[in-house]
Every structure is written in structure tokens, then in C-alpha cells.
Amino acid sequence: MDLNNLKPAEGAVHKEGKRVGRGEGSGKGGTSTRGHKGAKSRSGYSKKIGFEGGQMPLQRRVPKFGFKNINRKEYKGVNLGKLQELVEKGAVKGEVTLDTLIDNGLAHKNDLVKILGDGELKASLKISVHKFTASAKAAIEAAGGEAINL
């Protein structure tokens, strides 16, 4: 180790940021590196999201399209095959209600439930949910069950 290769330990020296607005002699006085006039030179300036310097912003140039029905109802679909799996596991005996589906993780408490006709139902079940497809209702009644709308 010699005097020509002495240096402080790693992380011991922190480089200070530029000190602006501390007089003309510092080289960064006057406008404090902000330039002259304009929004960015003022205190309290913050650019709005999507601002393009006065040019018409993209979200206003691009046309809106489509239709959102505010009265739309979203239904959680449950297939007949899933109900048959529950019967085979022994989770369901003869009656399927909304609470049964919630307990088995097929729906949440605020969901509207619709039974769909995919899969095969062999067990005779009394099912009471919000909606049924025509094929599901036919399959349930063919298996000797009952479909009840809530």
C-alpha cells in the first residue's frame, strides 16, 4: 500500500447531490438549473397523467366504441359433471343448494349460479339455484331429479 493508491473503504464516501440555488458563484444559482419560464420552472409543478405538452392526448384522440350494459348480470357456471363428482365423493346426498355449492368451493356467497349441461348426471338430485340451461334442466329431470329456480 502506497500513498498513491490510498482510497476510502467501499461505501464510506457518499457523493453529494448538486446544490442548486446557492448563489451565482456556484454555477447553479439564478434559475437553479430549471431554465427560464414555463410550467416546469415553477414550484408546485406536476405533470398530469397522459399530458402531451398541449397536444391533444392519445386518450382523447382515439374514438370510444362499444356498449356496457349497466344492468348486466354475471352468472357463475357450474356443469353437471361437477355435481356428479360431488355425489361420487359423498359431499352431496340428495339436495343441492347454493350453500352446498359455496361449501364445496364452486361458488362464492354473492354469486348468481347457473347450472350448465356439460357432463353426465346419473344421480337423482333436487337442485335449487338461480338459473338452468335447457339441456341441464332436461338432464336433471331425465335422471329423476328436480330443477328449482330461486
Side-chain angles (χ1 to χ4, degrees):
M1 181 185 300
D2 297 313
L3 285 177
N4 66 339
N5 60 13
L6 275 179
K7 61 181 184 186
E10 189 70 37
V13 177
H14 304 288
K15 186 172 182 259
E16 297 296 329
K18 61 180 168 187
R19 282 171 50 107
V20 296
R22 290 294 178 268
E24 286 299 312
S26 69
K28 293 176 177 64
T31 59
S32 302
T33 73
R34 288 170 174 251
H36 296 279
K37 298 184 185 175
K40 285 193 208 169
S41 73
R42 320 277 184 201
S43 67
Y45 165 74
S46 65
K47 187 175 67 176
K48 301 231 180 346
I49 294 170
F51 182 67
E52 296 185 18
Q55 173 175 298
M56 187 62 67
L58 182 69
Q59 75 271 22
R60 290 186 60 198
R61 284 187 307 228
V62 175
K64 291 185 273 193
F65 64 95
F67 173 74
K68 278 262 193 266
N69 186 356
I70 59 167
N71 298 316
R72 177 178 167 80
K73 286 191 170 94
E74 281 283 337
Y75 286 91
K76 175 83 173 146
V78 177
N79 281 308
L80 289 175
K82 280 282 185 199
L83 295 178
Q84 184 60 38
E85 283 177 29
L86 291 180
V87 170
E88 288 164 4
K89 276 199 288 188
V92 171
K93 292 285 182 265
E95 194 171 348
V96 176
T97 61
L98 207 52
D99 294 330
T100 314
L101 296 175
I102 292 166
D103 293 341
N104 289 293
L106 294 177
H108 293 290
K109 66 176 183 171
N110 296 326
D111 284 345
L112 297 173
V113 177
K114 185 173 188 175
I115 302 295
L116 309 174
D118 192 33
E120 192 178 352
L121 184 67
K122 299 176 188 118
S124 171
L125 295 173
K126 182 180 177 184
I127 304 170
S128 53
V129 292
H130 300 99
K131 272 197 170 188
F132 298 88
T133 61
S135 61
K137 197 164 197 164
I140 291 165
E141 287 165 357
E146 193 180 349
I148 303 163
N149 287 346
L150 290 179

